[in-house]
Each structure stands twice: as structure tokens, then as C-alpha cells.
Amino acid sequence: THELGFIVLMSSENSPREGKKDFQYQWLQRFDMEGKRIGAPIDLNEVLPEGLRQRNWEGLGWYEEGKRLVMVHDSPPAGIPTAYVIDIPENW
């Protein structure tokens, strides 16, 4: 059975400096078409290499549905875009 829904990049405030708020995406969460959460979130800090943790990820898309996901990040104003493929846990 194929269930339609959403994958949401959820952010948290990770501000190392007082007075400056940095919002960085840390979790991927699935939702059904009615907006109800499906299962537990994936903590990106557990699946990404250390150098790619706590980034402002700006996009995602299925690379191989149900198995792999592509995350996209850039470093404005002239940064080089980064794309990273995440292996999705089998039971997610």
C-alpha cells in the first residue's frame, strides 16, 4: 500500500551567540495527508557527517522513494551548493 503524505524539515534554534538566533534544521518528520505525524523523526545530526550537521537545509526530494532522500544546502551569498544523499531507515 502506498500512502501519500509529507516529509517536513523541522528546525530548532541553535544559537551559539547571545542576541543572535540561528534556526537550523535538525529533524525529518513524516506526516499523513491530514497533517498527523507518522512515526518518530529522523535526527539529522545522527545520520549526517559531522561537517554537514546543523546546516540550514533548504530542500529535499526522493532520490529512491522509501530508501534514499536528497538534502540540498547552500551558503549564501556565493557559497557552493551541497547535495547529500541520506539512507532512510527501513522502518521509517
Side-chain angles (χ1 to χ4, degrees), residues 34-91:
E34 295 176 358
K36 295 178 185 171
R37 186 173 54 193
I38 300 172
I42 292 176
D43 186 338
L44 293 174
N45 289 335
E46 292 180 5
V47 298
L48 292 170
E50 190 170 335
L52 293 177
R53 294 177 188 164
Q54 298 179 342
R55 298 290 177 102
N56 185 11
W57 295 98
E58 295 161 358
L60 56 94
W62 285 115
Y63 174 68
E64 187 176 1
E65 188 170 346
K67 296 180 182 181
R68 297 183 195 170
L69 191 71
V70 175
M71 307 275 303
V72 180
H73 169 267
D74 67 6
S75 300
I80 298 172
T82 300
Y84 190 79
V85 177
I86 295 175
D87 290 323
I88 299 296
E90 191 172 314
N91 61 349

Side-chain angles (χ1 to χ4, degrees), residues 15-54:
S15 185
R17 295 179 287 185
E18 192 173 318
K20 181 177 187 314
K21 292 184 178 184
D22 291 328
F23 293 95
Q24 299 159 351
Y25 295 107
Q26 185 170 345
W27 298 282
L28 292 175
Q29 177 66 57
R30 291 181 56 217
F31 291 88
D32 66 17
M33 294 298 288
E34 295 176 358
K36 295 178 185 171
R37 186 173 54 193
I38 300 172
I42 292 176
D43 186 338
L44 293 174
N45 289 335
E46 292 180 5
V47 298
L48 292 170
E50 190 170 335
L52 293 177
R53 294 177 188 164
Q54 298 179 342

